[in-house]
Amino acid sequence: MERDPVRFVWRSAPGLNISLLAIAVVAIPSLWIVLELLRVAIDDAALGRGFESRPAMHFMRLAISLPSRLTEAPVVLFGGLLLERGPLVQALAGVLLVVALAVGAFLAGSSLIRSEVGRRALRGLELRLLDGIATAPPGAAETVRNAAALAGSALAEQQSVLGRAIGVPSLCGALLFAALSYLALLDWRLAATAVTGIAVFGWASRAWSSWIRQVNAADRSSDAALRRALSTLAENLSALAAHGTATTEQRRIATEMEPMRALGDRARRHAILLLGVTVALGVATIAGVLGLGAWLGAAGALSPGEVVSAAAAAAFAIVALQGLLGWQGERDQLLKLFAEIARQLGSFNARRRVRQTPAPLPASGVISAEDVTVEGTLRGGRLLGLDLSLSLPSHVALVGDPDSGARTFASLLGGQISPRAGHVTFSGVSIEDAEPSDRARRLAFSGGEPLLLPNSLRANILYGCHDPDAADIEDRLLWAVEVAGLRGFVYRRGLAGMIDARREPGLAAAIVSARAGIRQELERSGIAHLVQPFDPVRYNPHATIGENILFGVSLGDTFREENLASHPFMRSLLDREGLTKPLAELGAAIVRSDLEMFWGLPSGSAIVGRFSLLSPAEREDFEAILERQTGSQRSTASARDAARLIGLAMRYTESRQRLGLLGPELEDHLLRLRQAFQREIPKSLQPSIEFLHPDRVCSATSVLDNLLFGRIAEDQAEARTRVVAVVRQVLEQFDLTRELMRVGLQSRLDPFSGSLSPARSAAIDLARCLVRVPDNLVVEHALNDLPAQDALDLTRRLTAAMVGRGLVVVVPPQLEGAAELFDEVVTFKAGRALTGLPATHSTAAFAPESDRTASPDPVWSPQ
């Protein structure tokens, strides 16, 4: 990787950088013109020197004076405009206005170009990093992680710096040259004075920048030390209280911090002193040029306008030099960053073996490990001089404790780690050197830390699949889900998912048709009472008050339960129906009951989380509202408090909270409010809600709610389990199970929510390998986090699914009954392997448990 940021930026956008150089070249005569206009404004417009001997003069005349041996008269490029003094002043004002607009456009255009240059350079650097990290060997994971952390923290705000890498030095250099050359044209002594002053100013400015860096470093060091000291103190408060050493610790920390603070204070004093010197030198340079120009003017060598223009040129030179020095500081920082990134990338790129195009792995053959030694890893123990041969496509179990080396050997087969000595081959082809995409098809590896994407479950399972658009991909997905033990998981996500009736009218119609079948089956099974249907004229005790009022689902935040009481339309209905006060009192009763029932329980308690309507953040707020509504503070209770209490009441479900706060009279009032809401809702608010209808699917609620068109009586024991079993049976009759699985696969996965267990994540990674239909499969830890029976069931499914193909599974030693399912068992102990054959090998069909919702016949079979 290129270590010089300037060369890297140039190569990232050469065309745009040439444009910046062209702008810098144009800036030279532009500055000359600006300075000349300043001279004209003073000498001719203000003092009238050009009109002393004539009534008019040539404005904007451009001429070049050549050596006398070539021509005595100057070469005129543009004769200018012959103007009297009055029109000259007007023309000068207009030209200065045009110059001001041109400077603004000039700066805006160059800034846009620099921004695009920075964007392209940053994009190029990101692509280099992504390519290096994505193709790095697994053994370089820690180094890659460091490089990624460095790049992520350091590059976040570097786009503008990269954009200035060429534009700023070229422009500032051009302005510096233009200013000094203008002074030299006026008088060489002016240029010499400016150069001397600028040189001293530059030295002082660099020294000041150096001390500022020392100040920042000292501040960072002292801040880090203080954080460490305070953190240690916070972790040992009990010791301070036990020994009474708070004062001692204060003195100790103050003593330790004193030298670091003294160092920072010393650097800060030097920086302040040098700042004053730098400013003084800059002003002195301009003053020196101005003074020398005045002396030359008194001698008749310069006009007043030329003296002022010379001082302005000196000021431009100071500003340009300051820009160059600032750019140099940025470049020094970028040099360090680029050098560190290049070092990090080079360190793990060096781990790649220099080799020709790797030979493809075979579909079957002998895996041979010869004198393999691997240091201990986080996944498993070390291997010591391992010699082992496995013939694929047989089924092999690797049995051993976590530190026995079994998982380490499986990682070797998956190309996850490199041996320190020896090598592992598959029919003579090095597994480590194989092309990763080829290895994923020939010798798929399920293990390590699964990579889960914030995307649909379907996209996660198809991650790495070489033919995601194949004609049989849907069948393969369901087969992989079945074998990996994810059928129940996907099924439940399908029930909790939602469908868009406009995009899938056929599925929506089928769901509506299945409603009657589910209701009939519930009645036939004698459990119809476990589901309370949605009825336009009846209150549903298993839905919240807000849901009963809306009889629909809010689309967005407009009619969310906590916002209902504050919405003007809903608030007017509540006032008209006389429900504002009753619902506010109901909310207050909920708060009182909640505080009494859960007093003393931690906020993270499972009981509080299941039955309390108040979140930990809301508890103190509602307690304060109750205090304002009682005693001497009653008069301070506001409409805002009432709205908060009504919003809480809207979340109340009688069958869930069981506080006995809802009677028939209040339910009747709420039903009248429902009817008024549906009858009077303005057209402008209708897009904010989707109402429930017995003959339509509600796209804003779950598939289960649409199938039942009602709510399950959660207060009844095992109600959900029994109702879902009926739903499953009816969906099979209506041939909707496959569609439900598709909805579940389309549901979005959130890998950062913490809702996925390690076993579930491993199962998704296993399905990801299975959907490719690999020739051979290595399973590292899919069995580790499962209960014994579930692990045994998964082993049976794997051996049945991989008949005729190779299978290598790391089997926990305590899993009884698994060894007989394999052709060969390899026992690992202390980094060495012992092989043996089980008495029998069975690949009979498995019979999954009912909670996995497995079908008796496979949905698809690999050929």
Side-chain angles (χ1 to χ4, degrees):
M1 175 183 162
E2 177 60 65
R3 292 173 178 261
D4 188 338
V6 176
R7 287 199 295 266
F8 182 86
V9 171
W10 176 266
R11 294 171 181 172
S12 299
L16 292 177
N17 285 311
I18 290 175
S19 300
L20 290 175
L21 293 178
I23 289 175
V25 172
V26 172
I28 296 175
S30 300
L31 181 59
W32 290 344
I33 293 173
V34 170
L35 294 173
E36 184 62 16
L37 287 173
L38 180 60
R39 183 199 65 75
V40 172
I42 295 174
D43 284 346
D44 300 325
L47 301 179
R49 291 171 62 90
F51 301 97
E52 291 176 349
S53 60
R54 51 190 173 178
M57 62 169 289
H58 289 88
F59 177 59
M60 296 295 292
R61 181 174 179 270
L62 299 178
I64 299 177
S65 298
L66 297 176
S68 58
R69 65 177 180 272
L70 297 179
T71 179
E72 294 182 357
V75 177
V76 178
L77 301 178
F78 176 61
L81 303 174
L82 187 63
L83 299 174
E84 295 181 351
R85 188 172 182 179
L88 174 70
V89 173
Q90 296 174 359
L92 182 63
V95 170
L96 290 175
L97 178 60
V98 171
V99 167
L101 295 176
V103 169
F106 172 85
L107 294 176
S110 61
S111 298
L112 288 174
I113 294 176
R114 289 199 302 270
S115 175
E116 179 62 18
V117 169
R119 188 192 68 80
R120 293 189 186 183
L122 185 62
R123 177 62 176 165
L125 186 57
E126 290 173 348
L127 289 176
R128 295 281 185 90
L129 289 167
L130 288 173
D131 178 67
I133 291 174
T135 59
E142 188 62 30
T143 307
V144 172
R145 193 175 295 112
N146 294 336
L150 171 69
S153 60
L155 292 180
E157 300 178 356
Q158 295 300 323
Q159 177 172 328
S160 59
V161 179
L162 291 170
R164 294 193 293 267
I166 290 178
V168 167
S170 60
L171 180 59
C172 290
L175 292 176
L176 182 60
F177 171 78
L180 293 178
S181 61
Y182 184 84
L183 290 172
L185 290 174
L186 292 177
D187 193 289
W188 68 269
R189 288 167 290 188
L190 292 175
T193 301
V195 169
T196 302
I198 287 173
V200 180
F201 171 81
W203 168 83
S205 182
R206 286 179 62 86
W208 172 76
S209 299
S210 175
W211 281 107
I212 285 295
R213 286 194 293 271
Q214 293 185 42
V215 169
N216 293 335
D219 288 345
R220 287 193 298 268
S221 178
S222 61
D223 289 346
L226 182 60
R227 283 195 300 270
R228 288 194 300 270
L230 294 179
S231 178
T232 303
L233 205 63
E235 293 172 357
N236 296 277
L237 290 177
S238 59
L240 269 64
H243 302 292
T245 55
T247 304
T248 303
E249 288 298 317
Q250 292 174 2
R251 287 197 300 266
R252 180 184 65 80
I253 294 175
T255 302
E256 292 177 353
M257 294 295 300
E258 187 61 32
M260 288 180 282
R261 287 174 175 161
L263 184 63
D265 292 341
R266 174 176 172 273
R268 193 171 284 105
R269 286 193 297 269
H270 280 81
I272 293 172
L273 178 62
L274 277 171
L275 177 61
V277 172
T278 302
V279 173
L281 287 173
V283 174
T285 300
I286 300 172
V289 172
L290 184 61
L292 178 59
W295 180 75
L296 293 172
L302 295 177
S303 68
E306 289 173 333
V307 173
V308 174
S309 296
F316 272 111
I318 290 292
V319 172
L321 179 62
Q322 188 65 35
L324 281 173
L325 294 174
W327 166 80
Q328 190 173 27
E330 291 179 344
R331 180 177 179 273
D332 292 341
Q333 295 299 317
L334 278 179
L335 279 171
K336 296 178 182 177
L337 173 63
F338 271 58
E340 181 61 21
I341 292 177
R343 187 189 68 80
Q344 295 276 10
L345 293 178
S347 65
F348 63 75
N349 286 340
R351 300 191 186 191
R352 297 193 184 101
R353 293 187 177 183
V354 179
R355 59 182 184 268
Q356 303 296 324
T357 302
L361 289 172
S364 61
V366 177
I367 290 179
S368 178
E370 299 179 5
D371 196 23
V372 172
T373 298
V374 179
E375 298 295 340
T377 66
L378 294 176
R379 298 193 184 109
R382 59 182 180 172
L383 297 176
L384 300 174
L386 178 68
D387 291 306
L388 181 64
S389 292
L390 302 176
S391 180
L392 296 182
S394 62
H395 292 184
V396 182
L398 308 180
V399 181
D401 294 327
D403 59 349
S404 64
R407 295 179 66 177
T408 303
F409 181 67
S411 298
L412 273 175
L413 298 183
Q416 301 296 297
I417 56 177
S418 301
R420 185 167 61 85
H423 55 274
V424 183
T425 60
F426 189 12
S427 291
V429 180
S430 172
I431 293 177
E432 179 188 3
D433 295 340
E435 183 68 28
S437 58
D438 181 48
R439 186 169 55 222
R441 292 194 302 269
R442 301 299 184 188
L443 195 62
F445 176 76
S446 171
E449 189 65 30
L451 172 63
L452 299 179
L453 310 174
N455 206 328
S456 68
L457 181 57
R458 185 181 194 277
N460 270 276
I461 295 177
L462 290 179
Y463 178 75
C465 182
H466 62 282
D467 57 345
D469 299 319
D472 63 343
I473 194 63
E474 298 301 327
D475 291 332
R476 283 159 51 188
L477 270 169
L478 294 179
W479 172 77
V481 163
E482 180 85 36
V483 175
L486 288 171
R487 182 182 174 86
F489 174 67
V490 176
Y491 190 92
R492 289 189 293 273
R493 291 179 73 90
L495 289 176
M498 294 180 288
I499 64 167
D500 190 337
R502 292 172 297 181
R503 294 182 179 180
E504 300 183 87
L507 178 58
I511 289 177
V512 172
S513 300
R515 285 178 182 171
I518 291 174
R519 172 54 54 183
Q520 293 173 4
E521 185 61 28
L522 289 172
E523 292 175 353
R524 191 191 66 79
S525 303
I527 57 173
H529 64 284
L530 296 182
V531 177
Q532 179 68 43
F534 293 130
D535 191 328
V537 297
R538 294 184 60 186
Y539 187 91
N540 194 318
H542 306 298
T544 66
I545 289 178
E547 291 170 334
N548 271 283
I549 293 174
L550 297 178
F551 200 69
V553 182
S554 175
L555 304 177
D557 295 335
T558 303
F559 291 122
R560 288 179 59 183
E561 291 174 337
E562 58 267 29
N563 298 334
L564 284 177
S566 58
H567 194 278
F569 171 63
M570 179 59 72
R571 190 59 183 262
S572 66
L573 294 179
L574 290 172
D575 292 340
R576 193 183 69 191
E577 296 294 331
L579 283 170
T580 302
K581 184 177 180 181
L583 288 179
E585 292 176 348
L586 190 149
I590 292 172
V591 176
R592 285 191 292 269
S593 299
D594 195 283
L595 295 176
E596 291 174 3
M597 286 191 297
F598 305 116
W599 179 263
L601 291 178
S603 57
S605 170
I607 297 178
V608 175
R610 181 176 180 182
F611 296 105
S612 175
L613 280 174
L614 302 181
S615 67
E618 294 176 321
R619 194 172 297 275
E620 292 185 5
D621 292 343
F622 279 104
E623 195 170 1
I625 289 175
L626 283 188
E627 291 178 359
R628 287 195 292 270
Q629 287 194 330
T630 57
S632 60
Q633 296 183 344
R634 186 178 184 85
S635 60
T636 65
S638 64
R640 182 182 179 87
D641 290 346
R644 291 287 306 277
L645 290 172
I646 294 173
L648 177 63
M650 292 293 179
R651 289 146 51 184
Y652 178 75
T653 305
E654 181 61 52
S655 64
R656 183 180 181 86
Q657 275 74 42
R658 304 181 187 180
L659 299 180
L661 300 177
L662 269 177
E665 184 178 353
L666 183 55
E667 290 180 356
D668 290 340
H669 274 73
L670 293 172
L671 290 175
R672 286 198 296 271
L673 177 61
R674 174 197 293 178
Q675 296 166 1
F677 177 78
Q678 294 185 348
R679 185 175 59 251
E680 301 176 21
I681 184 172
K683 288 186 177 180
S684 60
L685 294 177
Q686 290 177 6
S688 300
I689 187 170
E690 183 174 359
F691 291 110
L692 299 174
H693 195 282
D695 297 327
R696 291 199 300 265
V697 162
C698 178
S699 300
T701 192
S702 69
V703 171
L704 181 60
D705 281 352
N706 274 294
L707 286 168
L708 297 175
F709 198 69
R711 284 291 169 82
I712 298 175
E714 300 287 359
D715 56 340
Q716 301 292 318
E718 298 184 356
R720 177 168 291 271
T721 301
R722 298 169 69 186
V723 170
V724 169
V726 170
V727 170
R728 183 186 305 123
Q729 178 182 345
V730 175
L731 290 182
E732 290 286 352
Q733 296 172 0
F734 280 76
D735 198 24
L736 286 174
T737 300
R738 187 184 180 91
E739 289 295 324
L740 188 69
M741 297 291 286
R742 181 180 59 81
V743 174
L745 286 170
Q746 290 175 343
S747 63
R748 187 171 179 83
L749 204 63
D750 184 3
F752 310 110
S753 64
S755 59
L756 290 175
S757 65
R760 191 78 72 204
S761 300
I764 294 173
D765 189 59
L766 177 59
R768 181 180 289 169
C769 293
L770 287 167
V771 78
R772 303 176 201 148
V773 195
D775 296 312
N776 304 281
L777 174 63
V778 179
V779 181
E780 181 202 13
H781 69 276
L783 306 180
N784 285 18
D785 298 308
L786 294 175
Q789 186 57 49
D790 290 349
L792 192 59
D793 289 343
L794 176 56
T795 305
R796 292 195 180 103
R797 290 195 297 273
L798 282 172
T799 54
M802 296 296 291
V803 169
R805 292 175 295 149
L807 176 65
V808 179
V809 182
V810 177
V811 178
Q814 65 274 17
L815 187 60
E816 298 181 359
E820 63 186 23
L821 300 172
F822 293 90
D823 299 312
E824 184 175 0
V825 175
V826 180
T827 303
F828 281 80
K829 187 175 183 180
R832 302 184 185 279
L834 301 174
T835 61
L837 290 174
T840 60
H841 170 235
S842 171
T843 57
F846 60 92
E849 295 182 343
S850 60
D851 63 347
R852 294 185 176 273
T853 68
S855 57
D857 299 318
V859 295
W860 182 81
S861 178
Q863 300 299 323

